[in-house]
Amino acid sequence: MADGQHDPFSHDGSTEVGVLVCHGFTGSPRSMRPWAQHLVEQGWTVRLPLLPGHGTTWQEANTTTWQDWYGCVDAAFGELRERCDQVFVVGLSMGGALTLRLAELHGPDVAGIVLVNPIVAMLQPQTRLLPVLSRMVASMPAIGNDIAMPGVQEGAYERTPLRAAASLRSFLRLVRADLPKVDQPMRLFHSAQDHVVEPENSAIVLREVNSTDVAEIVLADSYHVATLDYDAETIFTGSVDFIRGLSEQADNA
């Protein structure tokens, strides 16, 4: 999986607006690169890091934990915060959970968040077995490339690394417990059909955060990796309008 499509992406634009882009579990920047490029075209500073254990092999992912993944996006956020007046965070799937954690811990330093099919809870009963199962079995077949558009490849791992998944489960419990701390402006895009993350996750987020500037946008024609699917343009333009609106409010304040 060592090709340039999975590399981290960085662009230095204006110092007014910075955007941190977070990819999902077992994925890579490839799933978010078109979105990041769209943000760059607005003249903004953009960071799209490659999470530790991703973009290589599932075996390597099993040597990493949620602390590694969160530490990576937290460092990128800190760099953007030093450079830019306002920093926004956007994320897909587990990237949405990382986005929410940044919002929970950094408060008003996060100017706004955009979530796409976020995961905050593993709702299948069998996932309770992950802490034990992951000590006996290294991996299981994955549900990857959940994209309605034919011929589009996400490039995620073909197997789910179970030790990493057990760590993700622990992380999601922390994220969900602190959802009431999230009060930043938020846009939440979720697919009507998602074969990876149950739609109930989006309902949990909308119900448990304390944000007042919130909008839910249902994506009728895309599956889980909506950033590469039929509704990608809806996500891209919607996020730009959202960020630009908040940036202009700050300028006029």
Side-chain angles (χ1 to χ4, degrees), residues 86-90 99 103 107-114 184-187 242-243 246:
Q86 285 187 297
V87 180
F88 298 84
V89 188
V90 308
T99 297
D109 283 346
V110 177
I113 61 176
V114 181
Q184 294 88 345
M186 181 176 78
R187 295 294 178 268
F242 171 65
I243 292 169
L246 291 172

Side-chain angles (χ1 to χ4, degrees), residues 81-176:
R81 193 72 190 91
E82 289 183 4
R83 177 182 177 84
C84 301
D85 299 334
Q86 285 187 297
V87 180
F88 298 84
V89 188
V90 308
L92 165 70
S93 195
M94 182 185 78
L98 293 167
T99 297
L100 287 163
R101 193 59 175 164
L102 287 166
E104 291 167 356
L105 297 183
H106 288 282
D109 283 346
V110 177
I113 61 176
V114 181
L115 310 174
V116 180
N117 293 324
I119 182 169
V120 292
M122 291 186 180
L123 300 173
Q124 297 296 326
Q126 61 267 30
T127 61
R128 297 174 190 167
L129 301 175
L130 272 173
V132 174
L133 186 62
S134 64
R135 291 196 287 268
M136 299 182 289
V137 181
S139 69
M140 294 183 69
I143 305 174
N145 216 56
D146 190 33
I147 300 171
M149 186 183 293
V152 180
Q153 296 294 316
E154 171 194 8
Y157 295 150
E158 294 181 354
R159 297 189 68 81
T160 298
L162 292 188
R163 282 190 290 278
S167 185
L168 172 58
R169 181 174 180 270
S170 300
F171 177 59
L172 297 180
R173 294 173 73 178
L174 288 175
V175 173
R176 183 175 181 183

Side-chain angles (χ1 to χ4, degrees), residues 1 9 13 21 70 100 130 137 139 188 190 205 211 214 219 225 234 236 247 253:
M1 203 180 272
F9 174 74
V21 184
Y70 179 75
L100 287 163
L130 272 173
V137 181
S139 69
L188 192 154
H190 69 90
V205 173
S211 304
V214 179
L219 307 172
V225 191
T234 297
F236 301 168
S247 176

Side-chain angles (χ1 to χ4, degrees), residues 3-73:
D3 62 45
Q5 298 178 77
H6 303 286
D7 291 345
F9 174 74
S10 177
H11 172 79
D12 290 339
S14 76
T15 56
E16 284 78 31
V17 173
V19 188
L20 173 59
V21 184
C22 305
H23 72 74
F25 182 64
T26 78
S28 77
R30 178 174 177 171
S31 63
M32 305 294 273
R33 185 66 178 262
W35 191 1
Q37 193 61 50
H38 194 87
L39 297 167
V40 165
E41 290 167 4
Q42 313 311 310
W44 299 330
T45 292
V46 176
R47 297 290 183 270
L48 169 52
L50 171 65
L51 300 179
H54 291 71
T56 54
T57 65
W58 65 260
Q59 291 92 337
E60 185 170 334
N62 261 339
T63 69
T64 64
T65 65
W66 73 260
Q67 289 92 339
D68 299 311
W69 315 325
Y70 179 75
C72 175
V73 297

Side-chain angles (χ1 to χ4, degrees), residues 201-217:
N201 277 268
S202 291
I204 291 168
V205 173
L206 291 166
R207 184 171 65 243
E208 297 184 8
V209 299
N210 274 311
S211 304
T212 53
D213 179 359
V214 179
E216 172 190 12
I217 302 96

